[in-house]
Amino acid sequence: MDVMAESAAHPITVAIERRIDPARTVEATSWMQAGTDLATGFDGFLGSGWVRAGEASDLWYMLYRFRDIPTLEAWEQSTQRAWWLDSGRAFASEVRVERRTGIEGWFDAPFATHVEDRSSGRAGDATPDTGPIQQPIPAAPPRWKQAVAIWLGFFPTNLLASWLLSFVPGFTDWPLVLRVLLATVLLTPFMTYLVLPWVTRMLRPWLQRAR
């Protein structure tokens, strides 16, 4: 499978760094929220949020995620987004854009310890459609650290599963393909929802340390 086909099959997260005129913070807040509201109406939209580097900083960050490349491009090439971007040119300038695909999403750090839900206004409600978040978006760790973290989760999990499955009557007599099929069907959701999130939480200081 080529790189483009592989990327198209995974959710795409886009992180954008912008400089905002400090004198127009109120307008910028409404403008950021308007962008989220517009994106919500597009097929494949998985969530969005925006962050400020600090109260005195003019650096703002916006993050949004789509199901795959086609749905992301439909949003990015839409007349609605073009109109929205044009409406903010007087006070917002784009500095940097970063896309993350596939497995890197497992290693994204939490956005903040305090999150305000834009619909209810309650702190601590980290739903996908969030309002202000108080920390910038960290970069994903290097690939070799990702590989180490995955191995540290996969090895003991696979070892334990292999030991437990050996107690299933007749399991060792199954064809190799069926044994591997059953093991992967059982382990994939366990790794995705339990093991990898736990491993990345435990290793987060090391994963986020400078290369």
Side-chain angles (χ1 to χ4, degrees), residues 1 14 18 22 34 39-40 65 70 82 97 100 125 144 161 181:
M1 183 181 296
V14 180
R18 290 187 174 93
T40 301
R65 174 172 286 186
V97 177
R100 301 177 188 173
D125 188 357
W144 71 268
L181 175 64

Side-chain angles (χ1 to χ4, degrees), residues 100 102-110 138-154 156-157 190-209:
R100 301 177 188 173
I103 201 169
E104 291 182 0
W106 274 323
F107 298 93
D108 293 340
R143 293 297 180 94
W144 71 268
K145 286 190 175 184
Q146 298 179 30
V148 170
I150 292 170
W151 182 85
L152 288 174
F154 181 75
T157 301
F190 188 70
M191 284 287 298
T192 302
Y193 294 103
L194 294 176
V195 177
L196 276 175
W198 182 80
V199 169
T200 55
R201 280 198 302 272
M202 296 298 102
L203 297 180
R204 194 168 301 286
W206 176 70
L207 288 169
Q208 293 181 353
R209 194 178 305 153

Side-chain angles (χ1 to χ4, degrees), residues 119-131:
S119 58
S120 63
R122 293 175 300 166
D125 188 357
T127 56
D129 296 319
T130 55

